[in-house]
Structure formats: structure tokens, C-alpha cells
Amino acid sequence: MSTCTFTCHLRTAACMLLAALWLAGCEATGGRQVAVAVSAINYTEVELSSFLFINPETNAPAGGPPLLPYSGGGTMCCYELPQHWRPGIRVKLRYEWWDAQRTDTDYQFLEVELPRYEGEPTMLWALFYPDGEVEVLASAVDPGHPQWAGRERGWPVPSQAYRLKMWERDMAQLRFSENDYSAAALNTSPEALLQTWRHAEKYDSQDIAGFSGPDDPRFIKYRQKLFEDAVERTRQRIRQLEASKP
């Protein structure tokens, strides 16, 4: 065998060895990295102000919007995960609950090892439960799918107590509006007429084009009819809401 032939075979063998080592390394590390969207589900009755995933190795962040109680949401981009699961994938999560009484931030932090995921993931999830547990997982499916791995199998369902609380809030707002419109319809003081006139000049000037001013009797009747109509619309909404009380 010539020196050239031997050298060529040696190079080929070395390349094959390096390729095998590279493939083994890829398998051990979960293959190539893939970009996944991030999302969260709030199973509680408290608003979540923010959530942010942080890669412990690179400090690269990926977060989503605030979440109302019993809701979910996220962003399309981007957090990097191995294409295939391997042991030791760690994820850091920063989150904060809404508190109207607090003026400063109160971030909470959690760092976990991702549980096994099957196939290539498309979403990194943070799941917030009423008992205080926070679950982090990666998945290619959403809640409700047979292969969904979250503790809760489906999307959030508001509790009876929360639905009643929201119903009472909405009813109180409608009752307040009803009283406010009723009082406005009866208030024909010069100050009230001028306030309505100036508002119309700014936002609905065409509606008052045929009136001479705020003291025009026709404008006074027009204004009264506006508020009476608002009262009736509000009462209709109250009746609809009464029919749907939880």
C-alpha cells in the first residue's frame, strides 16, 4: 500500500470517528436546539402580573403578558430547548402576582429540571395552581390533548365563587350607571347643560349643529332624551345579567 493510500484511509477513519463522536454527543445532549414559544396558564382566581422564563446558562429571557384569573396566554417567540429531551435541562422562572396594595415589585423565582417530553417541543409552559404549586413543562400539545402532561388535564374553569364575585361586580357597576344616568337626565342646571354641550362640541359636533347653545330648549330636551335612552339600555343589560346569575 502506498503512503498516499494509507494516509487517505487514515484520514477517512479519523473523520468517521469524529462524526461518530459528534453524533453521540448530539444524542447525549438532546440533539440540536429548537426555538419554542412560551405560555402560561393561570388556574387561580388571582391576576398574574408577569411571568418570564430565563435560561440559566445564557440568561436569555422569554416572557408573556399578564394573565387574568382562569386564563392562559403567551408569546410566539422564543426560548431554546434541546430538540429531544435529556436529563438535566434546567429552566428558571420569574413571576409576580398582582396586588393593588403594593407599590413595588415582588418577584418570585423558581428553577426546575424539565420533566421528560416526547418528540420535538413547540411550547414551554408555566402552570399556576390554586394550592401554590407552579409546574413547568415543555410540550408539543395543548391542555385537553390525550398526551398533555400537566397536572390539570384541561383549560381553567372558573369556580362558582369566582363567577359569582364577577357577577356581583358587574351588577354593581350597572346599578351605579343606572343611577348616574337617571340623575343626569333630571339635572338641567346651567353647569350640567354647559358640560354636556362642551363634550358634544369636542366629540359629536354634528349632533348639536342645529342648536343655538346649551340653553336652547330643544337642546335641553335632546340632552334629556340621550340620558333617558342610556338608562333604558342599562336596565336592559341589568335584566340580561340577572337572568345569567351563577
Side-chain angles (χ1 to χ4, degrees):
M1 179 184 298
S2 67
T3 302
C4 178
T5 303
F6 175 77
T7 302
C8 290
H9 282 302
L10 182 61
R11 288 176 178 173
T12 300
C15 289
M16 293 176 65
L17 177 60
L18 288 173
L21 290 173
W22 181 81
L23 288 173
C26 287
E27 183 176 352
T29 58
R32 66 182 177 88
Q33 296 289 103
V34 294
V36 300
V38 298
S39 190
I41 301 178
N42 184 3
Y43 288 95
T44 80
E45 62 177 39
V46 182
E47 182 176 347
L48 187 70
S49 295
S50 66
F51 73 94
L52 183 74
F53 288 108
I54 303 171
N55 189 317
E57 297 179 358
T58 65
N59 286 325
L67 293 180
L68 294 173
Y70 302 101
S71 69
T75 57
M76 293 304 295
C77 196
C78 285
Y79 191 97
E80 286 195 345
L81 288 175
Q83 182 182 18
H84 303 291
W85 180 86
R86 58 168 172 76
I89 305 173
R90 301 199 66 80
V91 176
K92 189 175 183 179
L93 174 66
R94 188 193 78 184
Y95 60 96
E96 182 181 28
W97 295 103
W98 166 252
D99 184 350
Q101 306 301 319
R102 196 178 62 242
T103 58
D104 58 345
T105 57
D106 184 26
Y107 292 131
Q108 300 181 51
F109 293 88
L110 176 70
E111 185 169 334
V112 299
E113 181 175 334
L114 275 186
R116 177 183 292 275
Y117 50 83
E118 302 297 334
E120 182 176 318
T122 58
M123 186 81 73
L124 180 63
W125 296 86
L127 312 174
F128 299 88
Y129 298 112
D131 60 4
E133 180 187 358
V134 181
E135 187 177 17
V136 177
L137 58 86
S139 179
V141 298
D142 292 344
H145 191 281
Q147 295 179 353
W148 173 249
R151 191 183 90 179
E152 292 288 338
R153 306 306 296 174
W155 293 97
V157 178
S159 66
Q160 169 75 8
Y162 179 78
R163 290 190 293 117
L164 181 59
K165 177 182 176 181
M166 293 298 99
W167 183 91
E168 291 173 342
R169 181 204 63 185
D170 294 343
M171 181 61 74
Q173 291 175 345
L174 287 173
R175 292 295 188 190
F176 178 85
S177 296
E178 178 190 17
N179 294 333
D180 197 39
Y181 291 141
S182 297
L186 299 175
N187 186 359
T188 57
S189 67
E191 295 79 10
L193 295 174
L194 182 60
Q195 182 182 23
T196 305
W197 180 268
R198 287 177 174 172
H199 184 275
E201 280 184 323
K202 186 174 181 180
Y203 298 104
D204 303 294
S205 58
Q206 293 182 350
D207 293 344
I208 61 173
F211 305 124
S212 61
D215 57 350
D216 186 330
R218 294 175 301 147
F219 172 73
I220 296 174
K221 291 183 179 180
Y222 163 79
R223 176 186 177 277
Q224 184 178 15
K225 181 67 164 54
L226 283 180
F227 284 113
E228 289 175 347
D229 289 346
V231 170
E232 182 55 34
R233 288 194 301 269
T234 303
R235 288 174 178 170
Q236 289 178 1
R237 293 174 61 191
I238 289 174
R239 290 191 290 269
Q240 292 172 351
L241 191 60
E242 287 175 336
S244 63
K245 184 176 181 179

